[in-house]
């Protein structure tokens, strides 16, 4: 019996049937677990799922008022506009705190990659109160796939992503942008993630991102 590039010599009908059934079931399992990502289908999921039911509650920050009492464009709306301009799907806001945010410093979203798949884009505008040196800050990363914990780790901040963050980070305003292309084939399901950036000694939280991605 020949299956593509695999040549199987079967001794008797029962053995051939069993082998064929095994390969068929294995193929179905592989198709179920790993699927070719359709960027258009993923980006249209905003109409199927509420991405905010897991993320940070920024409802109180969606409207801003000037000293004269006039409504102004809020921080949230400005970040939402950047996502819309790129035809993206927001997966997370980046704020000063996860539980009771008072400022929105950035956003993470999915958009089409130039290579034809999907990419994750992270945008952050942040003003550092003091210079951040190696060993003075850390990132606490918690990631899940469905109900399975896949990552629970605390890393030294300067070693997390040297392309995006080069230490020392000088005091003052910085604008960060990072793009990561996703694999064309990936397990189907829901991915959840929380990232806390904080000072190492005091554990004071300075940035938090919390969101989900559904493939």
């Amino acid at each position: 019996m020949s299956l593509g590039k695999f040549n199987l010599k079967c001794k008797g009908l029962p053995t051939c049937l069993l082998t064929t059934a095994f390969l068929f079931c294995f193929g179905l399992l592989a198709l179920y677990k790993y699927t070719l990502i359709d960027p258009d289908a993923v980006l249209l999921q905003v109409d199927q799922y509420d991405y905010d039911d897991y993320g940070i509650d920024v409802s109180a920050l969606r409207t801003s008022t000037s000293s004269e009492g006039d409504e102004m464009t809020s921080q949230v709306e400005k970040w939402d506009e950047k996502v819309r301009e790129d035809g993206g799907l927001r997966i997370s806001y980046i704020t000063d705190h996860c539980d009771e945010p008072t400022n929105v410093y950035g956003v993470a979203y999915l958009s089409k990659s130039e290579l034809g798949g999907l990419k994750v884009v992270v945008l952050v505008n942040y003003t550092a109160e003091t210079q951040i040196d190696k060993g003075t800050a850390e990132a606490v990363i918690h990631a899940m796939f469905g109900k399975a914990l896949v990552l629970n780790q605390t890393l030294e901040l300067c070693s997390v992503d040297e392309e995006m963050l080069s230490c020392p980070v000088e005091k003052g305003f910085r604008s960060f942008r990072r793009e990561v292309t996703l694999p064309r084939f990936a397990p189907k399901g829901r991915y959840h993630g929380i990232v806390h950036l904080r000072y190492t000694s005091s554990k004071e939280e300075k940035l938090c991102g919390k969101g989900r991605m559904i493939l």
Side-chain angles (χ1 to χ4, degrees), residues 167-206:
C167 287
V169 179
E170 301 292 336
K171 176 181 178 180
F173 177 80
R174 292 291 182 277
S175 182
F176 301 97
R177 179 185 178 94
R178 184 74 165 101
E179 296 184 4
V180 178
T181 301
L182 297 178
R184 297 297 299 274
F185 283 87
K188 295 191 292 185
R190 300 191 179 198
Y191 299 77
H192 304 84
I194 306 176
V195 178
H196 301 272
L197 302 186
R198 65 190 187 187
Y199 289 123
T200 304
S201 57
S202 66
K203 305 304 180 185
E204 179 187 1
E205 186 178 64
K206 303 305 295 183

Side-chain angles (χ1 to χ4, degrees), residues 72-146:
M72 302 170 58
T73 302
S74 69
Q75 298 171 325
V76 179
E77 290 173 328
K78 290 177 181 178
W79 288 115
D80 286 344
E81 181 59 30
K82 288 185 177 294
V83 176
R84 286 193 293 269
E85 289 174 357
D86 201 11
L89 172 63
R90 173 179 50 80
I91 57 178
S92 174
Y93 289 113
I94 299 168
T95 65
D96 52 352
H97 298 286
C98 265
D99 297 329
E100 297 181 0
T102 59
N103 287 289
V104 181
Y105 293 121
V107 68
Y109 63 93
L110 295 171
S111 70
K112 285 186 179 181
S113 167
E114 293 76 11
L115 301 177
L118 281 174
K119 63 182 178 182
V120 177
V121 181
V122 179
L123 302 175
V124 180
N125 290 338
Y126 183 70
T127 300
E129 302 166 348
T130 61
Q131 178 173 300
I132 300 174
D133 297 309
K134 188 174 182 179
T136 62
E138 61 188 15
V140 182
I141 306 171
H142 183 93
M144 297 187 69
F145 173 62

